Amino acid sequence: METTKKYNPETYKTPTGTKLNCKGWVQEAALRMLLNNLDPEVAEKPEELIVYGGRGKAARNFESLDLIIKALKDLEEDETLIVQSGKPVGILQTHKDAPKVLISNSQLVPNWANWKHFDELEKKGLMMYGQMTAGSWIYIGSQGIVQGTYETFSAIANKDFDGSLKGTLTVTAGLGGMGGAQPLAVTMNDGVCLVAEVEQWRIDKRLSTKYLDESIQDMDAAIDRALEAKKNQERVSIGIPFNAVHLLERLKERNVIPDILTDQTSAHDPLIGYVPHQISLEESNVLREENPERYEELSYESMYRHVELMLELQKLGAVTFDYGNNLRARAQEKGLKNAFDFPGFVPAYIRPLFCEGKGPFRWAALSGDPADIAETDSVIKELFPENESLMRWMDMAQERIAFQGLPSRICWLGQGEREKAGLAFNKLVKEGKVKAPIVIGRDHLDTGSVASPNRETEAMLDGSDAVADWPLLNALVNTAGGASWVSLHHGGGVGMGYSIHAGMVIVADGTNDAEKRLKRVLRNDPGMGVIRHADAGYDIAEDTARKHKLDIKERLK
Ligand code: NAD
């Protein structure tokens, strides 16, 4: 049952500094990261416990949140807290190297795995939607996705625009938790970005965190400004308070063809996430409550039109791709036969990185002190000086990323690199070069942790897109290796019925025990990705597996 309790920033303030509130640093890390997920600077709607991604929550309700906090404070070193869809349900005896928290979110038996059934259960208070890092307590605000988005736009620059987005116009929509990173990632690649977002407060939030440069209220004036900026090869992003469909229609009418076209509205969720263009935002908020069926009908019609317009602009020359929100599937469900004529971003740009075990590695300073992140940044620069795009990212991140909540950093590291970084961070803690332990995690959108046929596993070489053994094995492997908390989710990114994925977090607390756990987990976790892609027949993954001795055939020779 929903409690009436409200989010209070003082009660739920993330502890910082070196004083423990729990019986060990691993439990303390889980407590701080849970509260950090809900920090108003980090979360999209903390008053509803929503962190990002439509309705991705950190806890089922306030009663559960309070109980989780209490349980974490009480948890012994050899115990594990069990969390079922955002509700703590038990504390079990385990051992000191076992995860301190095991989480399962939004899992449904496949035949029942749809939003309709999930909504019924959610209404009864039996489930919550965990998205990816919302329900697994390792969301770090929009920075988390900036690096991935930066990687994607650099890959587009390399593949289609001679290495730079200078003098190009990217058109997209959605400035939410994830989508808010798009304008910054485009300008980091020297391009111009025009973004439609229905809610003005989201535009204002991105302006205040400097992810967005300008906001213009008039659509034609905004298009003119974008065209002028493109002509002058400026590096600028412009947000406009309009529905994506209306922007695309106007672009078509004016015969303005974007160089790059994508979308990050919350299309994975036709009821709570996507706002249909046929009605105003105010009307949509009323209709969603009063007549959810009608709302969904409008939403599907709108997504059909949205994809239709993207396809038309693609034909006219825009480099068009789906940015992981399942928009194409919604249009196809409504009857648009060629909805998948533009590719998803993973097969188009990201898969070669996955084959090397690369993915969104991230960490946060539990002390709350930005100087600790500066220390870790120096370590990364010392460890991987030959990686030019990583060095470029680190410089730009230091200069342009405003921290949200606990200071944190993200960079894409691959097989071998993650282990090196984790061990180096543990050494920093051991030697007192940082004030408190460092918590290390990653997105579920990673090399070996997700099965999502319309996104991360779209168009696998061997056709194994829908095989979900891999994320389950990933969660089991990380539990066996001694990650600090492990989670298994359903429906993240693309919605119910479309994905199964796993999360892991591990704490570098400077101890010898942590060193052993870090060695295992940060080798095995990306290792599962390399093995998964090698098994599917990717040459790069096979080479990486051989190089890092992950290849079973080599071992059993
Ligand atoms: P969010 O719910 O925080 O934000 C979505 C934004 O879209 C909101 O600000 C909303 O007002 C706006 N919006 C909705 N309909 C609109 C419309 N028709 N026109 C203009 N604006 C509209 O979600 P988010 O965390 O930003 O994620 C966005 C989508 O991207 C989700 O579907 C999510 O699952 C997906 N996603 C992608 C990646 C990736 O790496 N590509 C990763 C995680 C999630």
Side-chain angles (χ1 to χ4, degrees):
M1 286 294 114
E2 275 297 329
T3 54
T4 50
K5 237 179 112 174
K6 294 268 179 310
Y7 181 80
N8 178 334
E10 280 311 309
T11 320
Y12 297 111
K13 195 169 170 7
T14 309
T16 50
T18 53
K19 200 176 139 276
L20 283 173
N21 299 277
C22 301
K23 296 177 179 171
W25 269 111
V26 179
Q27 301 91 307
E28 183 76 20
L31 175 72
R32 292 189 187 191
M33 293 315 288
L34 164 66
L35 295 174
N36 189 56
N37 260 18
L38 292 168
D39 182 320
E41 267 186 28
V42 178
E44 292 296 305
K45 294 180 190 163
E47 64 285 359
E48 292 174 46
L49 301 176
I50 290 175
V51 183
Y52 77 99
R55 53 174 136 167
K57 289 168 76 171
R60 201 184 298 179
N61 50 36
F62 281 97
E63 196 182 17
S64 292
L65 175 64
D66 289 346
L67 259 180
I68 294 172
I69 293 171
K70 224 167 144 189
L72 288 172
K73 288 183 177 171
D74 192 52
L75 204 66
E76 299 291 343
E77 296 272 316
D78 59 354
E79 289 181 325
T80 298
L81 172 66
I82 310 297
V83 178
Q84 178 258 324
S85 281
K87 176 180 159 185
V89 290
I91 293 177
L92 298 176
Q93 184 76 51
T94 50
H95 57 85
K96 72 171 172 39
D97 284 321
K100 295 288 171 287
V101 193
L102 288 174
I103 298 171
S104 174
N105 278 319
S106 344
Q107 298 291 345
L108 290 165
V109 170
N111 216 23
W112 282 261
N114 54 57
W115 277 120
K116 190 170 174 297
H117 191 67
F118 176 84
D119 287 342
E120 285 166 18
L121 293 168
E122 193 188 36
K123 254 190 217 126
K124 286 188 200 159
L126 295 174
M127 280 209 128
M128 77 159 208
Y129 180 55
Q131 252 291 2
M132 291 195 153
T133 49
S136 57
W137 313 339
I138 189 72
Y139 183 68
I140 55 170
S142 294
Q143 186 196 168
I145 204 71
V146 173
Q147 162 73 1
T149 317
Y150 165 78
E151 291 280 350
T152 307
F153 281 101
S154 332
I156 299 168
N158 288 335
K159 202 168 160 187
D160 301 314
F161 298 95
D162 289 332
S164 165
L165 296 186
K166 195 173 264 186
T168 66
L169 169 63
T170 296
V171 170
T172 185
L175 285 173
M178 295 284 114
Q182 298 175 101
L184 180 56
V186 172
T187 53
M188 279 179 161
N189 278 289
D190 297 331
V192 178
C193 186
L194 179 63
V195 200
E197 164 57 61
V198 280
E199 297 193 289
Q200 183 65 46
W201 71 269
R202 307 257 196 184
I203 295 181
D204 295 340
K205 190 165 174 173
R206 302 309 157 212
L207 285 170
S208 72
T209 51
K210 302 198 177 98
Y211 280 38
L212 182 71
D213 300 317
E214 296 176 11
S215 166
I216 297 178
Q217 298 295 310
D218 180 86
M219 192 188 287
D220 277 322
I223 296 172
D224 292 342
R225 166 79 183 107
L227 289 174
E228 182 200 84
K230 172 179 158 153
K231 200 170 95 200
N232 298 337
Q233 303 203 332
E234 278 177 68
R235 196 165 95 155
V236 73
S237 57
I238 305 147
I240 56 167
F242 288 97
N243 195 294
V245 174
H246 293 144
L247 173 61
L248 299 192
E249 268 168 351
R250 188 69 191 134
L251 288 173
K252 232 196 110 220
E253 274 164 22
R254 287 188 50 178
N255 200 28
V256 172
I257 314 303
D259 298 290
I260 299 161
L261 176 61
T262 188
D263 177 70
Q264 267 203 6
T265 57
S266 272
H268 71 276
D269 190 336
L271 181 63
I272 312 287
Y274 191 82
V275 178
H277 73 283
Q278 306 90 323
I279 49 176
S280 69
L281 180 64
E282 293 69 33
E283 285 166 334
S284 75
N285 288 333
V286 176
L287 187 67
R288 187 184 291 119
E289 291 299 318
E290 288 182 352
N291 192 345
E293 284 83 19
R294 178 69 191 137
Y295 185 100
E296 284 203 15
E297 264 173 42
L298 288 180
S299 205
Y300 270 95
E301 279 169 22
S302 184
M303 289 192 263
Y304 183 107
R305 181 69 190 132
H306 195 155
V307 174
E308 207 173 40
L309 281 160
M310 288 176 79
L311 288 164
E312 286 169 23
L313 289 164
Q314 181 192 28
K315 268 209 184 115
L316 294 169
V319 171
T320 307
F321 64 96
D322 174 296
Y323 213 165
N325 59 0
N326 221 13
L327 183 67
R328 293 169 302 171
R330 303 291 170 222
Q332 194 184 49
E333 284 164 33
K334 186 72 193 159
L336 188 63
K337 294 215 169 60
N338 62 339
F340 278 74
D341 275 6
F342 56 85
F345 72 111
V346 174
Y349 305 109
I350 299 293
R351 183 143 311 133
L353 302 175
F354 279 172
C355 289
E356 291 181 72
K358 285 195 175 148
F361 184 77
R362 60 182 60 179
W363 62 95
L366 291 174
S367 64
D369 189 340
D372 282 0
I373 290 298
E375 281 293 333
T376 57
D377 283 351
S378 308
V379 164
I380 295 290
K381 286 184 170 179
E382 276 162 31
L383 282 176
F384 311 111
E386 71 293 344
N387 187 336
E388 278 172 29
S389 92
L390 176 62
M391 293 303 111
R392 190 164 160 230
W393 159 255
M394 294 302 288
D395 289 340
M396 282 191 295
Q398 282 177 329
E399 185 196 313
R400 298 198 61 182
I401 298 282
F403 291 136
Q404 295 166 264
L406 288 176
S408 58
R409 184 64 75 223
I410 180 161
C411 63
W412 277 45
L413 294 183
Q415 189 66 44
E417 296 173 330
R418 297 193 199 190
E419 202 181 325
K420 271 191 197 157
L423 292 173
F425 292 170
N426 201 48
K427 199 158 163 258
L428 282 183
V429 182
K430 189 181 226 164
E431 292 172 353
K433 292 191 176 144
V434 288
K435 286 162 210 75
I438 302 290
V439 61
I440 299 168
R442 57 154 173 78
D443 196 1
H444 300 200
L445 182 163
D446 195 21
T447 166
S449 53
V450 52
S452 184
N454 288 349
R455 205 167 90 171
E456 290 87 341
T457 51
E458 176 174 346
M460 292 295 288
L461 210 52
D462 62 349
S464 60
D465 306 19
V467 174
D469 294 326
W470 299 103
L472 269 71
L473 285 169
N474 178 261
L476 294 172
V477 163
N478 285 329
T479 304
S484 301
W485 61 98
V486 177
S487 51
L488 198 46
H489 291 200
H490 161 221
V494 281
M496 288 297 136
Y498 284 96
S499 62
I500 301 279
H501 41 98
M504 80 83 202
V505 180
I506 182 155
V507 180
D509 63 8
T511 60
N512 293 339
D513 281 343
E515 188 180 316
K516 286 184 200 139
R517 292 193 290 260
L518 285 158
K519 238 185 191 153
R520 288 191 296 261
V521 172
L522 295 181
R523 170 176 162 80
N524 297 348
D525 181 49
M528 282 303 298
V530 175
I531 291 170
R532 194 263 178 274
H533 288 88
D535 187 70
Y538 289 91
D539 292 344
I540 308 174
E542 283 172 16
D543 291 347
T544 310
R546 260 194 304 279
K547 188 170 149 208
H548 292 275
K549 302 198 169 29
L550 290 160
D551 187 341
I552 192 162
K553 288 179 217 135
E554 290 280 310
R555 174 75 187 264
L556 299 181
K557 252 195 219 161

